[in-house]
């Protein structure tokens, strides 16, 4: 994990919301709304790795796409270095695209099967009009070297590589324009465990080399623990706890975070954990529970949890939690 010297905010979201309205069937009379992201306010600090964890379908990937402007928010603000993303001029937005990049979960699906590696890595420079042909070839070779692939890979196609090698190519493409912020959206979940470790170590090495800030989205807490400085826990579209990795592992306070950590496999077979088993399934974002979204499954729920939404409160410096067990403030 990197050491964050100064907490300069590189990305900020304010009350970010994203609702989807799926197309209705021929005989449908109801108009369903999928509430994927619900009022997320979050700061990501320069030079850190912020892990984003939660169950499948909780809105992690949608939040990452909103920050990258791959999806348009229903409400709320996104700022990159103090500039509102939705108010950028065309020139500012093109520069923004260079500064914010993404590494997707499936490396094969995110590569064009008809294009060679050389074409794939040179394309970002061509789109932004950077460098001469010879300069681009040199930069492409350097990118391959930085992700630990040989130059003979340049004229091969995606199907000729293993999953780990394809993900290295995707990482090289993400770094081509020297970005400042990279969203890693389940970047290792499609890989074998041994390859996951190699890719994680590569990402950490490149973070120091390129002075990067990561938002690392994953459902695997062991992976998040290995790479993250801070962690945000997400449940059904809302952030429920934010803390440093060390604090979250030892002094987490939200009931959902405690349940996640209990469910996480531990290599020590003799380790005794407090038994925490959640009842029921994660609710549908089409019809989320009233009040606190977690209250139907929470072992510590109170009557107020069914009626009101708790706001994020600070229980210690840098440690925030959304739970009525710790305060009685209500977010609108």
């Amino acid at each position: 994990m990197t050491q964050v010297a100064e907490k300069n905010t590189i990305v900020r979201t304010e009350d970010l919301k994203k609702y989807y309205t799926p197309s209705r069937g021929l005989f449908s009379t109801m108009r369903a709304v999928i509430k994927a992201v619900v009022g997320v306010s979050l700061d990501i600090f320069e030079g850190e790795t912020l892990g984003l964890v939660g169950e499948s379908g909780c809105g992690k990937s949608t939040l990452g796409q909103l920050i990258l402007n791959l999806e348009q928010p229903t409400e709320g603000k996104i700022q990159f270095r103090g500039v509102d993303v939705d108010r950028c001029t065309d020139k500012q937005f093109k520069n923004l695209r260079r500064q914010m990049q993404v590494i997707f979960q499936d490396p094969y699906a995110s590569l064009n099967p008809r294009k060679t590696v050389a074409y794939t890595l040179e394309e970002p420079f061509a789109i932004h009009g950077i460098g001469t042909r010879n300069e681009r070839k040199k930069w492409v070779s350097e990118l391959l070297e930085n992700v630990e692939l040989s130059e003979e890979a340049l004229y091969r196609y995606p199907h000729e590589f293993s999953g780990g090698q394809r993900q290295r190519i995707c990482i090289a493409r993400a770094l081509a324009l020297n970005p400042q912020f990279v969203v890693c959206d389940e970047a290792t979940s499609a890989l074998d465990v041994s390859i996951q470790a190699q890719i994680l170590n590569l990402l950490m090495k490149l973070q120091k080399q390129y002075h990067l800030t990561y938002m690392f989205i994953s459902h695997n807490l062991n992976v998040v623990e290995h790479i993250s400085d801070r962690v945000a826990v997400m449940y059904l579209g809302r952030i429920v706890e934010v803390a440093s990795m060390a604090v979250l592992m030892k002094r987490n306070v939200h009931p959902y975070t405690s349940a996640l950590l209990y469910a996480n496999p531990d290599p020590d077979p003799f380790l005794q954990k407090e038994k925490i088993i959640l009842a029921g399934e994660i609710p549908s974002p089409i019809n989320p529970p009233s009040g606190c979204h977690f209250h139907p499954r929470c072992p510590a729920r109170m009557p107020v949890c069914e009626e009101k939404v708790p706001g994020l409160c600070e229980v210690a410096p840098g440690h925030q939690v959304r739970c009525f067990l710790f305060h009685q403030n209500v977010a609108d």
Side-chain angles (χ1 to χ4, degrees), residues 21-96:
T21 306
S23 57
R24 292 181 291 178
L26 183 61
F27 301 105
S28 175
T29 58
M30 297 182 64
R31 194 165 181 81
V33 176
I34 300 173
K35 297 181 178 180
V37 174
V38 185
V40 170
S41 296
L42 188 65
D43 286 348
I44 303 175
F45 302 124
E46 186 173 11
E48 77 168 347
T49 298
L50 176 74
L52 185 62
V53 300
E55 292 173 286
S56 296
C58 71
K60 304 186 300 293
S61 294
T62 303
L63 179 57
Q65 290 168 10
L66 288 170
I67 290 174
L68 293 169
N69 209 42
L70 298 177
E71 292 277 1
Q72 296 300 311
T74 305
E75 292 181 29
K77 280 185 178 181
I78 305 164
Q79 292 183 333
F80 181 78
R81 293 200 176 279
V83 177
D84 287 350
V85 173
D86 61 342
R87 296 184 180 180
C88 287
T89 63
D90 290 344
K91 185 177 180 181
Q92 287 176 321
F93 189 74
K94 188 173 183 180
N95 182 60
L96 186 71

Side-chain angles (χ1 to χ4, degrees), residues 244-265:
S244 69
M245 190 70 245
V247 168
L248 197 84
M249 296 301 292
K250 294 183 179 180
R251 296 193 298 277
N252 60 84
V253 292
H254 195 282
Y256 177 63
T257 307
S258 301
L260 273 185
L261 290 172
Y262 174 76
N264 189 49

Side-chain angles (χ1 to χ4, degrees), residues 172-243:
R173 181 179 59 184
L175 299 181
L177 299 176
N178 197 24
Q180 299 176 21
F181 174 68
V182 179
V183 173
C184 304
D185 188 1
E186 301 276 8
T188 62
S189 63
L191 307 176
D192 293 339
V193 174
S194 60
I195 306 301
Q196 282 186 18
Q198 294 176 20
I199 296 299
L200 286 173
N201 291 332
L202 176 63
L203 287 171
M204 293 167 71
K205 183 194 83 169
L206 293 172
Q207 183 175 35
K208 293 179 180 179
Q209 182 177 342
Y210 285 87
H211 309 290
L212 297 168
T213 302
Y214 288 145
M215 180 178 180
F216 194 89
I217 300 170
S218 180
H219 60 270
N220 188 328
L221 281 168
N222 289 326
V223 169
V224 171
E225 183 182 6
H226 182 71
I227 196 172
S228 300
D229 300 292
R230 286 192 307 139
V231 181
V233 181
M234 199 167 186
Y235 183 81
L236 208 63
R238 290 190 179 124
I239 300 294
V240 297
E241 189 164 6
V242 182

